[in-house]
DNA sequence: CATGAATGAGAATTCATTCAT
DNA sequence: AATGAATGAATTCTCATTCAT
């Protein structure tokens, strides 16, 4: 490896360090405590270096959000890709989302916070797009032989994300709920998401004209 | 009315003034601009008076959140109480939630933000409890003659809130969606919430063992 | 004096202190060094206090500029008001401007800098307006029995200010000029300003149609 | 051409690039935004290279000022050299100055800002010296057969510059003035400058003893 | 009871300049 | 000869909170 490459790698690594530091602060101290100064302190550099790698704080948040989506998508891939049965896979997807939201609440919240400020998060964040595709593909398999349009599948996937998100937020607020209830909520969420396809048959009269 | 009462009344009114000022700032300038100094400026008192009525900023946010729930519940009551047909009423409830979230985004967001930090928002916030009861009552009527436990109805109501919230958040992120899509999303949300009861029959096998 | 007044006076004095500190920094360290932090250091308060008295730095500069105009107008009044002969008075006015610009270069520069950012400095700054009136009145007397419109006099006064300013700036750039030359420049400036009225007769053909 | 010369030429060109970049930033983003970092970005070199060509920022400003004088003098030469009638030429000179000050305010301001910090801008900046000569030559022609000393002509030329500058600054501050007034101000400025020579006869008594 | 006054801590950002390589 | 990397020192400004009065 030439010296140029080594330097480029070092440079790229400092960028990573910044994001890792930001992520660590996010996890440990919370979203509100995430300041440029703290990031600089943690990487043991002076604050201005950050501006060599990111235009401003917003750019950091977006990149951090991307990192979160990567980690999230990594979990999904790891836990669900191997499952071939569509119902099993969908179950695993919902469960993975659910657990990620609980274990990495700060990350999960940031993903929605930043996503809300973007015009089109599903295309802006590559890994979110991949997740949407994966979900869409899974739903397609769930449909079986029935033919579905791409548009329909994407829409259903987004709806699935919405339903999961709603339950996850509810779960956040019911923080003193006992584990049993939580477990039941997760099960129900799985069912609802599953039924997004199943009940397609039931409500086809209403939805039919949209597609 | 003795002077003691008059003073108590004045005191109570100043408390209201503080919250109204906070609400006005929230609506006009957004969540981030909500500072004690600005509240004090608006009520034309000095910042320290606020500490006579609220322990700290967090306490204000909680009380403000209560005010938001009151306004929200007011909308619900006004738009939906009069409707006796359960399907019509439920449709009105979902629609009212949806519109409130769009028109009063700052309030809606605060309600979930603060709600997430509380241990049990459904009991802590009286008006949220009332809304839950109202929803529960509506779902009960929707069930018709079928007998449902209170617990079941509350749970379904919370689920309905979750489903609505998920769709509302999705709607936030799809900021460049056209009005048609938005209108369809609302219709679907209504259907999903309605089906929380209808599909009870369908999925009773799975859910039955919980109750 | 009641305690309320005393406090109000103290408050008003701190405002003055801030401006005096700003003025001192302006004189000693120059325009570029005039920062809020330095002002705070000098009055031995913390930086945020300044925001109790001024909205932002721009507001300080405007107020400081006002102070400069006051001091400037004070010099004019002190040196020139007593002179009744219009030629003597005009001579004194130009001389006072000239010396002020030399002795208080930083103040003089600030006056033009801030003046340039205002839409109408002659009305915004009371003392500048007073100076313009005083100049106008002096030029009127210089005209003798000839009748002049107010508009004409104000215009000529502004022109006088322009001519003086031009010479003052030239004098700034000729910093290594010997005292004799400087003294001659001042004398010429006086003559040019005086001739703004005298040559009215000469150039009346050209200017006549304007009024 | 040897490699030494080629290198020298390259070096000289980079110097030009730096100044051109600085000029572009000055025009587009304004005086306050003119930073070394921005210059480096624009020439696509790293900041430290600038220090190979200029001692510090001040040195850049001086060289940039020189460039401004070149452009300014270019306008003068282009617009006025061809005119042989002295009155026409003087009119063109004043008009060109006036328009340059309006159209290239940032450059014009910088020229005076830097000029004020130099000990003798008329000799330090070659093109300013050329302009002074040109003005002087024009005034000489305006004098007709009357014999004038060089010193006298230079002095009058500087005075002309002062008078123009004064009116230009006044024009800056009267930003809400209507086009008519502005146009009249320009006409008057031309008259005043013209009269610097004409009224020589009138005020010769007073000025005579200086020469 | 109410508050004016004050502040410490902290925010994002920009800049000219240096230095080892 | 050129630079990537880095920084110290600034900048303006906001905020929640305290305390003597």
């Amino acid at each position: 490896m030439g010296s140029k490459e080594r330097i480029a790698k070092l440079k790229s690594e400092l960028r990573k360090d910044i994001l890792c530091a930001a992520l660590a602060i996010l996890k440990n101290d919370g979203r509100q405590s995430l300041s440029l100064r703290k990031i600089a302190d943690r990487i043991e550099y002076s604050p201005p270096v950050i501006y060599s790698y990111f235009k401003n704080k917003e750019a950091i948040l977006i990149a951090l959000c991307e990192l979160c989506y990567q980690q999230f998508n990594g979990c999904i891939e790891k836990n669900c890709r191997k499952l071939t049965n569509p119902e099993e896979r969908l179950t695993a997807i919902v469960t993975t989302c659910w657990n990620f939201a609980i274990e990495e609440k700060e990350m999960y919240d940031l993903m929605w916070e930043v996503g809300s400020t973007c015009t089109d998060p599903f295309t802006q964040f590559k890994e979110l797009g991949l997740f949407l595709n994966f979900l869409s593909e899974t739903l397609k398999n769930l449909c079986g032989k029935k033919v579905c349009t791409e548009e329909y599948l994407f829409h259903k996937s987004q709806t699935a994300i919405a339903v999961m998100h709603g339950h996850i937020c509810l779960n956040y607020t019911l923080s003193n709920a006992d584990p049993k209830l939580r477990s039941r909520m997760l099960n129900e969420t799985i069912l609802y998401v599953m039924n997004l396809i199943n009940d397609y048959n039931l409500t086809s009269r209403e939805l039919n004209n949209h597609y």
Side-chain angles (χ1 to χ4, degrees), chain A residues 17-37:
Chain A
D17 288 349
I18 291 171
L19 288 179
C20 287
L23 186 58
I25 294 165
L26 178 74
K27 287 187 182 190
N28 296 338
D29 308 344
R31 169 71 182 85
Q32 290 309 319
S33 304
L34 184 55
S35 73
L36 297 186
R37 184 185 292 196

Side-chain angles (χ1 to χ4, degrees), chain A residues 37-79:
Chain A
R37 184 185 292 196
K38 274 196 184 151
I39 294 174
D41 280 354
R42 188 169 257 265
I43 60 175
E44 292 183 313
Y45 277 86
S46 66
V49 286
I50 298 175
Y51 289 89
S52 305
Y53 300 88
F54 299 94
K55 195 194 160 199
N56 51 26
K57 195 184 180 181
E58 195 196 349
I60 295 179
L61 284 180
I62 289 175
L64 181 57
C65 189
E66 203 160 357
L67 187 58
C68 292
Y69 278 122
Q70 282 166 17
Q71 292 211 6
F72 168 72
N73 203 44
C75 292
I76 294 287
E77 288 288 330
K78 186 181 148 222
N79 295 343

